[in-house]
């Protein structure tokens, strides 16, 4: 290394000297040119020009001699290595293991390999065992034929998690197969005649609190998919704010949502989602917040209930095909008639929910309404659901239904040009626009619960404040 460094130093110095010579030549060239021009103009060319050229050439030659000497010295003189470098020899005895110790070691555990796989659409048992490196004939036969392990083949649907421990030779030591969100089938190698045992055990799940944020670009589910928010959480967000936001027509590009929810993981894979602890939705510049408190209740930061007495819409996600109007051209009767409700276009079979607690006062066919349901919500309020394809089994006259219960399914019975739900909202027999009518408010928190609610909401509000003005996609 020292010799290489010395060579590099000599070459570097030589290059520097050559650069200086080039600079001198570039400086002298204009001087020679000026002298030539002056001597041609004022003096006889034969005598003066030659004399000046010779003088300049001698001057350049004499000035380069010292530089050439330095260059020669650098090229010839050897690099002086430092002397008296201390050298110390270190020896250490390393004890080698005995061959008998290696042979007695537990080689199975030393060479076991863990693999984590997830079943895919169209997977077969053979394909899954191959990916898990389970090649032992005894293990394959047990997994295929043992009744206690039959769930592995009969419940091999997509999205199931499998964790296996095998040797390098493909002998199965342990296999965990996810049966559902709470249980797993655990198969272990044993000293029994069958060679293995299988039993169902509760899954050891890791619970986490997850905070995620998303921006609306086209739809609620499009935004939550982009932010990797599960559909169950997206549906819950819509349910929390359903009394203040009509997700059929109120969403705008640029709306923003933030949600804090619980989730359970098994070996790093999401198994199930839990409760939504808090959520924020910024819709058309208006900020709405909901904090979970008590039994599935959601409240604003000042203690007002978000669970209004009435839902704004009986369908989760659809579009309004015809609004409330006192004079509308009827597409079938070809005449001007009042349209005293709202038509929600949706595929046949879409679930229709009760907008509030009520008693079923009518179920059956009624003229142009086709299959119709009328709910009596007391205090003079009734709601009407028309053009249904069929009714829910529990929807019978006199039956009490609760907010969110499925009462029927979208159809196109009666006077209808396409599948949709005709929905009406009446107060003491007077028709009102369901989209704009003021909905009754729910009962707020009692004064005795305000102190506990205030302490509960503080950490959740701090997390929502942290992400209020950010574009963060996910934070765990």
């Amino acid at each position: 290394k020292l010799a290489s460094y010395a060579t590099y130093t000599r070459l570097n110095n030589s290059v520097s000297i050559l650069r200086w010579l080039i600079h001198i030549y570039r400086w002298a060239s204009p001087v020679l040119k000026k002298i030539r021009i002056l001597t041609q103009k004022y003096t006889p060319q034969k005598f003066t020009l030659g004399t000046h050229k010779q003088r300049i050439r001698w001057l350049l030659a004499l000035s380069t001699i010292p530089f050439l000497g330095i260059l020669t010295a650098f090229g010839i003189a050897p690099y002086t290595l430092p002397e008296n470098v201390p050298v110390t020899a270190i020896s250490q005895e390393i004890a080698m293991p005995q061959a008998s110790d290696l042979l007695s070691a537990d080689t199975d555990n030393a060479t076991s390999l863990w693999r984590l796989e997830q079943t895919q659409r169209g997977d077969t048992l053979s394909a899954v065992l191959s990916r898990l490196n389970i090649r032992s004939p005894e293990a394959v036969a047990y997994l295929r034929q043992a009744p206690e392990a039959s769930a592995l083949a009969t419940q091999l649907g997509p999205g199931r998690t499998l964790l296996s421990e095998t040797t390098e030779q493909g002998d199965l030591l342990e296999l965990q197969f996810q049966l559902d969100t709470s249980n797993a089938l655990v198969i272990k190698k044993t000293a029994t005649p069958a060679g293995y045992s299988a039993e169902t055990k509760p899954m050891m799940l890791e619970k986490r609190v997850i905070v995620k944020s998303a921006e609306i670009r086209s739809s609620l589910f499009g935004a939550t998919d982009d932010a990797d928010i599960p559909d169950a959480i997206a549906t819950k967000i819509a349910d929390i704010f359903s009394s203040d936001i009509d997700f059929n027509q109120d969403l705008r590009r640029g709306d923003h949502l933030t949600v804090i929810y619980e989730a359970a993981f098994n070996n790093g894979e999401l198994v199930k989602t839990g409760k939504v602890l808090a959520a924020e939705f910024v819709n058309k510049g208006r900020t709405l917040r909901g904090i979970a408190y008590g039994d599935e209740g959601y409240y604003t930061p000042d203690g007002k209930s978000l669970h209004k007495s009435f839902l704004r819409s009986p369908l989760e996600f659809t579009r309004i095909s015809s609004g409330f109007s006192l004079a509308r051209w009827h597409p079938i009767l070809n005449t001007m008639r009042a349209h005293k409700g709202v038509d929600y276009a949706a595929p046949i079979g879409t679930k229709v929910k009760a907008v509030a607690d009520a008693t079923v006062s009518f179920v059956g066919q009624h003229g142009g309404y086709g299959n119709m349901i009328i709910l009596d919500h007391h205090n003079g309020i009734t709601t009407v659901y028309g053009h249904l394809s069929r009714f829910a089994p529990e929807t019978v006259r006199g039956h009490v239904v609760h907010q969110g219960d499925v009462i029927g399914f979208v159809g196109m019975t009666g006077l209808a040009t396409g599948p949709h739900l005709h929905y009406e909202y009446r107060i003491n027999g007077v028709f009102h626009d369901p989209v704009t009518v003021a909905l009754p408010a729910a009962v707020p928190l009692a004064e005795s619960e305000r102190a506990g609610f205030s302490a509960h909401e503080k950490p959740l509000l701090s997390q929502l404040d942290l992400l209020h003005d950010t574009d963060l996609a996910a934070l765990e």
Side-chain angles (χ1 to χ4, degrees):
K1 292 183 179 179
L2 291 176
S4 300
Y5 180 77
T7 304
Y8 169 78
T9 304
R10 290 198 296 271
L11 291 175
N12 190 34
N13 293 332
S14 301
V15 170
S16 300
I17 294 172
L18 290 175
R19 288 176 178 173
W20 277 105
L21 292 177
I22 292 172
H23 285 309
I24 294 174
Y25 175 78
R26 290 178 178 175
W27 172 81
S29 297
V31 176
L32 289 174
K33 185 175 181 181
K34 290 180 180 179
I35 293 175
R36 181 172 60 82
I37 294 173
L38 292 174
T39 51
Q40 286 179 348
K41 185 174 182 180
Y42 297 107
T43 58
Q45 184 177 357
K46 291 183 180 180
F47 174 75
T48 308
L49 182 59
T51 303
H52 280 282
K53 279 186 176 182
Q54 290 178 356
R55 290 177 180 177
I56 294 301
R57 288 172 181 172
W58 279 106
L59 178 62
L60 290 174
L62 292 174
S63 63
T64 56
I65 290 176
F67 294 103
L68 292 175
I70 295 173
L71 178 63
T72 305
F74 275 105
I76 298 175
Y79 185 84
T80 304
L81 298 175
E83 298 179 356
N84 301 324
V85 177
V87 178
T88 303
I90 299 176
S91 60
Q92 182 178 359
E93 183 178 356
I94 301 176
M96 299 298 291
Q98 299 296 324
S100 58
D101 296 336
L102 294 177
L103 293 175
S104 62
D106 188 355
T107 57
D108 289 339
N109 292 333
T111 58
S112 65
L113 302 173
W114 286 93
R115 283 179 172 83
L116 180 65
E117 288 288 338
Q118 198 165 28
T119 56
Q120 304 170 6
R121 189 175 299 277
D123 259 342
T124 62
L125 182 59
S126 298
V128 171
L129 297 182
S130 176
R131 293 205 303 270
L132 293 173
N133 190 38
I134 301 176
R135 293 175 286 139
S136 169
E138 294 80 5
V140 173
Y142 179 83
L143 297 176
R144 289 182 179 278
Q145 301 173 8
E148 61 271 21
S150 60
L152 183 62
T154 59
Q155 301 183 30
L156 201 64
R160 300 293 181 91
T161 301
L162 298 103
L163 179 65
S164 69
E165 182 188 12
T166 63
T167 64
E168 292 182 348
Q169 293 74 27
D171 189 18
L172 176 63
L173 302 178
E174 182 175 345
L175 175 64
Q176 300 178 16
F177 173 60
Q178 175 191 347
L179 295 175
D180 49 42
T181 57
S182 303
N183 301 300
L185 177 66
V186 180
I187 301 172
K188 290 185 177 182
K189 187 174 184 179
T190 61
T192 60
Y196 293 91
S197 65
E199 59 179 329
T200 301
K201 292 184 177 180
M203 295 177 61
M204 300 299 294
L205 300 179
E206 175 191 0
K207 294 184 178 180
R208 304 180 192 173
V209 175
I210 299 177
V211 183
K212 289 191 176 181
S213 180
E215 181 179 347
I216 303 295
R217 300 185 184 276
S218 58
S219 66
L220 175 63
F221 277 104
T224 54
D225 285 345
D226 291 341
D228 197 24
I229 298 175
D231 289 347
I233 300 300
T235 303
K236 189 61 180 178
I237 293 173
D239 180 61
I240 293 172
F241 300 110
S242 60
S243 297
D244 295 286
I245 301 176
D246 186 347
F247 286 88
N248 302 313
Q249 62 177 9
D250 287 347
L251 293 186
R252 297 293 183 269
R253 184 180 180 88
D255 287 353
H256 191 269
L257 69 92
T258 302
V259 61
I260 305 172
Y261 63 95
E262 297 174 336
F265 291 80
N266 179 38
N267 297 308
E269 297 290 335
L270 176 64
V271 175
K272 61 180 178 179
T273 57
K275 185 177 182 180
V276 173
L277 302 178
E280 176 186 270
F281 208 107
V282 180
N283 173 240
K284 296 186 289 188
R286 178 183 54 159
T287 301
L288 301 173
R289 285 182 169 182
I291 308 296
Y293 191 70
D295 297 332
E296 296 298 325
Y298 289 87
Y299 300 86
T300 63
D302 56 356
K304 295 180 180 179
S305 177
L306 285 174
H307 186 75
K308 299 292 193 301
S309 297
F310 283 76
L311 299 178
R312 181 61 70 178
S313 170
L315 300 180
E316 290 182 354
F317 301 101
T318 181
R319 63 179 179 86
I320 294 179
S321 57
S322 182
F324 184 89
S325 175
L326 296 179
R328 185 196 70 155
W329 182 262
H330 198 284
I332 296 179
L333 300 178
N334 294 323
T335 184
M336 295 295 294
R337 293 184 62 178
H339 190 247
K340 299 178 181 180
V342 172
D343 289 347
Y344 292 101
I348 292 178
T350 302
K351 296 178 180 178
V352 178
K353 299 181 179 180
V355 295
D357 297 347
T359 302
V360 180
S361 62
F362 178 84
V363 179
Q365 292 186 347
H366 184 75
Y369 286 93
N371 291 332
M372 184 179 73
I373 297 174
I374 299 179
L375 299 183
D376 183 4
H377 303 280
H378 310 295
N379 298 322
I381 300 176
T382 56
T383 54
V384 178
Y385 311 80
H387 305 310
L388 301 174
S389 61
R390 57 190 177 94
F391 308 112
E394 298 82 7
T395 307
V396 295
R397 186 173 182 178
H399 182 70
V400 175
V401 295
H402 299 283
Q403 187 181 79
D405 287 349
V406 176
I407 58 175
F409 302 88
V410 171
M412 53 182 297
T413 57
L415 296 179
T417 58
H420 70 279
L421 170 70
H422 177 78
Y423 173 61
E424 295 178 359
Y425 188 95
R426 305 174 184 176
I427 302 178
N428 296 322
V430 179
F431 296 88
H432 292 264
D433 187 352
V435 175
T436 59
V437 67
L439 298 176
V443 180
L445 276 174
E447 288 295 332
S448 59
E449 299 183 11
R450 290 296 182 93
F453 176 73
S454 179
H456 170 77
E457 71 172 348
K458 280 184 179 179
L460 297 172
L461 291 177
S462 298
Q463 295 185 63
L464 293 178
D465 289 337
L466 180 65
L467 301 184
H468 180 73
D469 297 319
T470 66
D471 294 329
L472 188 65
L475 174 65
E476 298 185 9

